[in-house]
Amino acid sequence: MLAEIKALAQTLTPRLIEIRRHLHAHPELSGQEYQTAAYVAGVLSSCGLRVRESVGKTGVLADLDGQNDKSGLLAIRTDMDALPITEKAPLDFASRHPGVMHACGHDIHTTLGLGTAMVLSQLPQPPAGKIRFLFQPAEEIAQGASWMIQDGVMGDVGAVLGVHVFPSIPAETVGIRYGALTAAADDLEIFIQGESGHGARPHEAVDAIWIAAQVITALQQAISRTQNPLRPLVLTIGQISGGRAPNVIADQARLAGTVRSLHPETHARLPQWIEGIVAHICGAYGAQYEINYRRGVPSVQNDPRLTKLLEEVSREAWGNERVEIIPEPSLGAEDFALYLQHAPGAMFRLGVGFQDRTNPPLHHPQFEADERAIYTGVVTLAAAAWRYWDSV
Ligand code: NI
């Protein structure tokens, strides 16, 4: 079947590049993917899939029937949203929406979902079981997956596959990762309440800014002294505010940041661990505090069996030299993790790097993708889907 899949994908590639360029030129922000969703639904309907729109707010769901009536579904998830970035890539099909850009390659992901649906629906022999295509909105704000799940898309889904482009892997190469792919990402907000006073009379005040500085320093040092160094933890305070005038001691300070971890035990204990440190420092210097700790997305843990399936299909399709086993997880976050609370799944990385130049990273205004990756991604996803039903 691999030869048929490759031949179909080859024939469809010019059309897929056209689709990708259309999507790239018309990016939409998280939760506002109205035109994108309508466009996606139109393409899917023309392939004869059963399409549902407005799933998970601005998402699209499409089901493809299998050859047999095997129970369950294999889901293939792609995301559709863009970022609030002004594009600076010199492309004919650069963003026509000022201040919005597909800088994370979700235009490629959407194209891969569409291409895979086209290939699988046109094969002489369809896959043995049902395939569900999930076109998810709002991945960049880590909301879309939960919107889709709340709309019931995971009912009957037995496994889920996902893909993300990666500029540091060359195009036409597939990156496979066993185990943790991305980190758990939580949001942290700390309010410190001191007491205002004259800048010359610190002994009559409780300086919230100085205490905030102590809190930041203590948290960073505590990572190195109290956390297992073999279990990564990154705590970044990206915002700090407080104070009214240079000669007035600040009564309030606010810190906000992101907390990334990989190990479930580390992740579970983070709120108590942070509070212990903040309470101690504020207590020592007479300040009050309030902490808002918001759980974000968990870590993407790739299922071993599905990862093996992706690896085998990729080796067969592309040869060993174009399959990279990724040695380390990323501390980035991906809301694909939320689907994995309902079914096992695996996400692979699709190389989109140009061989002959340096590749700006994802979320960069000059991010570009080598479009040869579209063929690679479609064949990999379609072959994995076909093989999945052949193997269960
Ligand atoms: Ni992304």
mmCIF file of all heavy atoms in Angstrom, residues 248-266:
data_model
loop_
_atom_site.group_PDB
_atom_site.id
_atom_site.type_symbol
_atom_site.label_atom_id
_atom_site.label_comp_id
_atom_site.label_asym_id
_atom_site.label_seq_id
_atom_site.Cartn_x
_atom_site.Cartn_y
_atom_site.Cartn_z
ATOM 1 N N VAL A 248 9.388 56.268 46.892
ATOM 2 C CA VAL A 248 8.341 55.680 47.752
ATOM 3 C C VAL A 248 8.562 54.172 47.796
ATOM 4 O O VAL A 248 8.676 53.528 46.748
ATOM 5 C CB VAL A 248 6.931 55.990 47.191
ATOM 6 C CG1 VAL A 248 5.855 55.332 48.049
ATOM 7 C CG2 VAL A 248 6.703 57.494 47.110
ATOM 8 N N ILE A 249 8.647 53.625 48.970
ATOM 9 C CA ILE A 249 8.807 52.168 49.080
ATOM 10 C C ILE A 249 7.510 51.501 48.631
ATOM 11 O O ILE A 249 6.413 51.904 49.057
ATOM 12 C CB ILE A 249 9.199 51.778 50.523
ATOM 13 C CG1 ILE A 249 10.656 52.234 50.759
ATOM 14 C CG2 ILE A 249 9.048 50.276 50.751
ATOM 15 C CD1 ILE A 249 11.162 52.043 52.162
ATOM 16 N N ALA A 250 7.665 50.499 47.770
ATOM 17 C CA ALA A 250 6.488 49.873 47.153
ATOM 18 C C ALA A 250 5.770 48.985 48.153
ATOM 19 O O ALA A 250 6.398 48.186 48.850
ATOM 20 C CB ALA A 250 6.922 49.053 45.950
ATOM 21 N N ASP A 251 4.440 49.106 48.169
ATOM 22 C CA ASP A 251 3.687 48.218 49.055
ATOM 23 C C ASP A 251 3.247 46.945 48.341
ATOM 24 O O ASP A 251 2.869 45.981 48.983
ATOM 25 C CB ASP A 251 2.474 48.939 49.668
ATOM 26 C CG ASP A 251 1.505 49.451 48.623
ATOM 27 O OD1 ASP A 251 1.903 49.574 47.448
ATOM 28 O OD2 ASP A 251 0.350 49.724 48.987
ATOM 29 N N GLN A 252 3.281 46.957 46.984
ATOM 30 C CA GLN A 252 2.832 45.780 46.255
ATOM 31 C C GLN A 252 3.803 45.428 45.143
ATOM 32 O O GLN A 252 4.381 46.306 44.511
ATOM 33 C CB GLN A 252 1.466 46.043 45.611
ATOM 34 C CG GLN A 252 0.339 46.075 46.618
ATOM 35 C CD GLN A 252 -1.014 46.250 45.933
ATOM 36 O OE1 GLN A 252 -1.095 46.857 44.868
ATOM 37 N NE2 GLN A 252 -2.058 45.702 46.547
ATOM 38 N N ALA A 253 3.915 44.121 44.899
ATOM 39 C CA ALA A 253 4.662 43.661 43.721
ATOM 40 C C ALA A 253 3.939 42.447 43.164
ATOM 41 O O ALA A 253 3.346 41.662 43.902
ATOM 42 C CB ALA A 253 6.091 43.308 44.086
ATOM 43 N N ARG A 254 3.969 42.345 41.856
ATOM 44 C CA ARG A 254 3.360 41.191 41.198
ATOM 45 C C ARG A 254 4.412 40.538 40.303
ATOM 46 O O ARG A 254 5.104 41.210 39.543
ATOM 47 C CB ARG A 254 2.167 41.630 40.341
ATOM 48 C CG ARG A 254 1.585 40.529 39.483
ATOM 49 C CD ARG A 254 0.486 41.068 38.563
ATOM 50 N NE ARG A 254 0.032 40.058 37.634
ATOM 51 C CZ ARG A 254 0.544 39.830 36.422
ATOM 52 N NH1 ARG A 254 1.558 40.562 35.995
ATOM 53 N NH2 ARG A 254 0.058 38.870 35.650
ATOM 54 N N LEU A 255 4.519 39.226 40.429
ATOM 55 C CA LEU A 255 5.420 38.447 39.586
ATOM 56 C C LEU A 255 4.570 37.470 38.791
ATOM 57 O O LEU A 255 3.625 36.893 39.338
ATOM 58 C CB LEU A 255 6.400 37.622 40.438
ATOM 59 C CG LEU A 255 7.129 38.339 41.565
ATOM 60 C CD1 LEU A 255 7.930 37.342 42.394
ATOM 61 C CD2 LEU A 255 8.064 39.366 40.971
ATOM 62 N N ALA A 256 4.917 37.271 37.536
ATOM 63 C CA ALA A 256 4.194 36.263 36.759
ATOM 64 C C ALA A 256 5.185 35.488 35.915
ATOM 65 O O ALA A 256 6.167 36.045 35.398
ATOM 66 C CB ALA A 256 3.134 36.918 35.883
ATOM 67 N N GLY A 257 4.924 34.205 35.770
ATOM 68 C CA GLY A 257 5.875 33.388 35.023
ATOM 69 C C GLY A 257 5.290 32.074 34.554
ATOM 70 O O GLY A 257 4.095 31.810 34.671
ATOM 71 N N THR A 258 6.188 31.250 33.990
ATOM 72 C CA THR A 258 5.801 29.937 33.495
ATOM 73 C C THR A 258 6.700 28.887 34.137
ATOM 74 O O THR A 258 7.879 29.156 34.402
ATOM 75 C CB THR A 258 5.891 29.883 31.952
ATOM 76 O OG1 THR A 258 5.493 28.581 31.509
ATOM 77 C CG2 THR A 258 7.281 30.173 31.426
ATOM 78 N N VAL A 259 6.137 27.727 34.429
ATOM 79 C CA VAL A 259 6.876 26.665 35.102
ATOM 80 C C VAL A 259 6.817 25.408 34.241
ATOM 81 O O VAL A 259 5.729 24.914 33.942
ATOM 82 C CB VAL A 259 6.282 26.370 36.499
ATOM 83 C CG1 VAL A 259 7.212 25.449 37.287
ATOM 84 C CG2 VAL A 259 6.035 27.658 37.274
ATOM 85 N N ARG A 260 7.981 24.910 33.818
ATOM 86 C CA ARG A 260 8.045 23.752 32.915
ATOM 87 C C ARG A 260 8.691 22.572 33.623
ATOM 88 O O ARG A 260 9.757 22.722 34.238
ATOM 89 C CB ARG A 260 8.891 24.095 31.675
ATOM 90 C CG ARG A 260 8.475 25.367 30.950
ATOM 91 C CD ARG A 260 7.079 25.217 30.385
ATOM 92 N NE ARG A 260 6.544 26.432 29.810
ATOM 93 C CZ ARG A 260 6.440 26.668 28.499
ATOM 94 N NH1 ARG A 260 6.886 25.790 27.638
ATOM 95 N NH2 ARG A 260 5.895 27.779 28.061
ATOM 96 N N SER A 261 8.066 21.424 33.542
ATOM 97 C CA SER A 261 8.637 20.235 34.165
ATOM 98 C C SER A 261 8.301 19.013 33.336
ATOM 99 O O SER A 261 7.383 19.026 32.523
ATOM 100 C CB SER A 261 8.093 20.072 35.581
ATOM 101 O OG SER A 261 6.683 19.882 35.534
ATOM 102 N N LEU A 262 9.055 17.945 33.553
ATOM 103 C CA LEU A 262 8.842 16.718 32.773
ATOM 104 C C LEU A 262 8.337 15.569 33.625
ATOM 105 O O LEU A 262 7.525 14.777 33.186
ATOM 106 C CB LEU A 262 10.164 16.273 32.135
ATOM 107 C CG LEU A 262 10.552 16.920 30.835
ATOM 108 C CD1 LEU A 262 11.878 16.345 30.371
ATOM 109 C CD2 LEU A 262 9.498 16.698 29.767
ATOM 110 N N HIS A 263 8.860 15.445 34.840
ATOM 111 C CA HIS A 263 8.527 14.273 35.644
ATOM 112 C C HIS A 263 7.197 14.483 36.372
ATOM 113 O O HIS A 263 6.994 15.529 36.989
ATOM 114 C CB HIS A 263 9.652 14.018 36.648
ATOM 115 C CG HIS A 263 9.604 12.632 37.203
ATOM 116 N ND1 HIS A 263 8.751 12.282 38.221
ATOM 117 C CD2 HIS A 263 10.274 11.509 36.859
ATOM 118 C CE1 HIS A 263 8.918 10.993 38.488
ATOM 119 N NE2 HIS A 263 9.827 10.507 37.674
ATOM 120 N N PRO A 264 6.317 13.496 36.312
ATOM 121 C CA PRO A 264 5.002 13.673 36.949
ATOM 122 C C PRO A 264 5.076 13.997 38.445
ATOM 123 O O PRO A 264 4.282 14.790 38.940
ATOM 124 C CB PRO A 264 4.311 12.319 36.732
ATOM 125 C CG PRO A 264 5.086 11.613 35.688
ATOM 126 C CD PRO A 264 6.444 12.223 35.607
ATOM 127 N N GLU A 265 6.067 13.424 39.149
ATOM 128 C CA GLU A 265 6.170 13.718 40.595
ATOM 129 C C GLU A 265 6.599 15.165 40.831
ATOM 130 O O GLU A 265 6.082 15.842 41.716
ATOM 131 C CB GLU A 265 7.201 12.799 41.261
ATOM 132 C CG GLU A 265 6.616 11.477 41.702
ATOM 133 C CD GLU A 265 7.702 10.540 42.206
ATOM 134 O OE1 GLU A 265 8.668 11.022 42.854
ATOM 135 O OE2 GLU A 265 7.582 9.333 41.916
ATOM 136 N N THR A 266 7.546 15.634 40.054
ATOM 137 C CA THR A 266 7.965 17.043 40.145
ATOM 138 C C THR A 266 6.753 17.930 39.886
ATOM 139 O O THR A 266 6.466 18.864 40.648
ATOM 140 C CB THR A 266 9.043 17.363 39.078
ATOM 141 O OG1 THR A 266 10.085 16.420 39.192
ATOM 142 C CG2 THR A 266 9.584 18.769 39.219
#
